[in-house]
Amino acid sequence: MENTLLQAAALIVPLIIAIVFHEVAHGWTALALGDPTAREQRRLSLNPLRHVDPFGTLILPGFLALTGAPVLGWAKPVPVNAWRLRNPRRGMMVVAAAGPLSNLVLAAVGSILLGLLMRFFGDATGPVLSFTVMSLGFFVMINVFLAFFNLLPIPPFDGSHIVEGLLPDGLARRYARLRPYGFAIIVLLIVVVPWLAPDLGLVQRVVLPPVLWMLDHYEALARAVAGV
């Protein structure tokens, strides 16, 4: 039981940090590009309570975990008003990209910290050091997965805003019509399809390959910092 609680803590804390920084990155980028909506609604905060969605962050993931289904959830999105941006079309692309980019930066920071621990405490043992190493490992993995998962071109993920900004106006308007059906599409592709046909899982086939590729590079970074 003690080991389970420690593993849960080592997983939950990095997850909260990753989600909070992801959302705040959207808000700060929008503010820099002319939209103060997030600041006006006091969402430019690192306080996790300001970003928790009761259903998406707590109820749904808990229910899916209890039923053995793939865990799906979300935080409360930071509000962004595209029409208050100086360049709405390009601005929304940059705001959307800021979330995944912040996670990749956090993963790099975590890798550097892991490398420093390996360099200075590589031969040491103890519960505190073991917990720290485990937390940093989860921290890197969670941030990389969150970055690439959010780049999927499915509304309302960040990737959909980037694709919408790259498409010609006519196609972008048609693509935007999918937004009301985004949640249903996500459930279909991430929960229903893998259940019916495990070999066609979106996460396994589309998300995991770049995640594993990126994790190899972060591991190389940690080893370079450690000098091994």
Side-chain angles (χ1 to χ4, degrees):
M1 178 63 71
E2 183 179 349
N3 288 336
T4 301
L5 291 175
L6 285 174
Q7 289 178 352
L11 180 64
I12 291 171
V13 173
L15 178 62
I16 291 174
I17 295 173
I19 290 175
V20 168
F21 271 85
H22 181 103
E23 292 300 330
V24 172
H26 287 314
W28 277 112
T29 304
L31 179 62
L33 296 178
D35 174 27
T37 304
R39 183 179 64 184
E40 292 169 352
Q41 297 187 21
R42 301 179 63 194
R43 291 296 306 282
L44 297 183
S45 169
L46 296 179
N47 180 357
L49 296 179
R50 294 189 183 274
H51 304 282
V52 168
D53 179 287
F55 181 75
T57 310
L58 303 174
I59 298 174
L60 180 63
F63 172 77
L64 292 174
L66 288 174
T67 58
V71 177
L72 175 68
W74 57 86
K76 187 188 301 181
V78 164
V80 177
N81 186 338
W83 301 112
R84 299 180 77 178
L85 297 170
R86 287 188 287 272
N87 186 323
R89 187 177 176 86
R90 186 177 63 187
M92 280 303 297
M93 291 177 61
V94 176
V95 170
L101 180 60
S102 72
N103 292 125
L104 294 178
V105 171
L106 287 176
V109 172
S111 298
I112 292 170
L113 291 176
L114 269 174
L116 291 173
L117 284 178
M118 292 166 59
R119 189 180 190 95
F120 296 108
F121 302 99
D123 297 328
T125 59
V128 174
L129 183 61
S130 297
F131 178 79
T132 303
V133 169
M134 181 167 56
S135 296
L136 286 173
F138 281 137
F139 184 72
V140 174
M141 288 188 288
I142 287 169
N143 274 286
V144 174
F145 182 84
L146 190 62
F148 283 99
F149 188 73
N150 272 279
L151 286 174
L152 287 172
I154 305 171
F157 290 156
D158 298 327
S160 68
H161 294 289
I162 296 172
V163 169
E164 191 174 328
L166 293 172
L167 291 173
D169 289 343
L171 286 176
R173 284 193 293 270
R174 294 193 190 104
Y175 182 73
R177 291 173 190 161
L178 294 174
R179 204 161 296 282
Y181 311 103
F183 180 74
I185 295 172
I186 293 168
V187 172
L188 177 66
L189 293 177
I190 296 177
V191 179
V192 178
V193 170
W195 181 66
L196 296 174
D199 292 339
L200 298 179
L202 180 68
V203 172
Q204 293 87 341
R205 287 188 170 271
V206 178
V207 180
L208 279 185
V211 166
L212 294 175
W213 177 82
M214 202 70 193
L215 285 174
D216 285 341
H217 286 74
Y218 283 122
E219 181 182 353
L221 173 62
R223 291 185 177 278
V225 172
V228 298

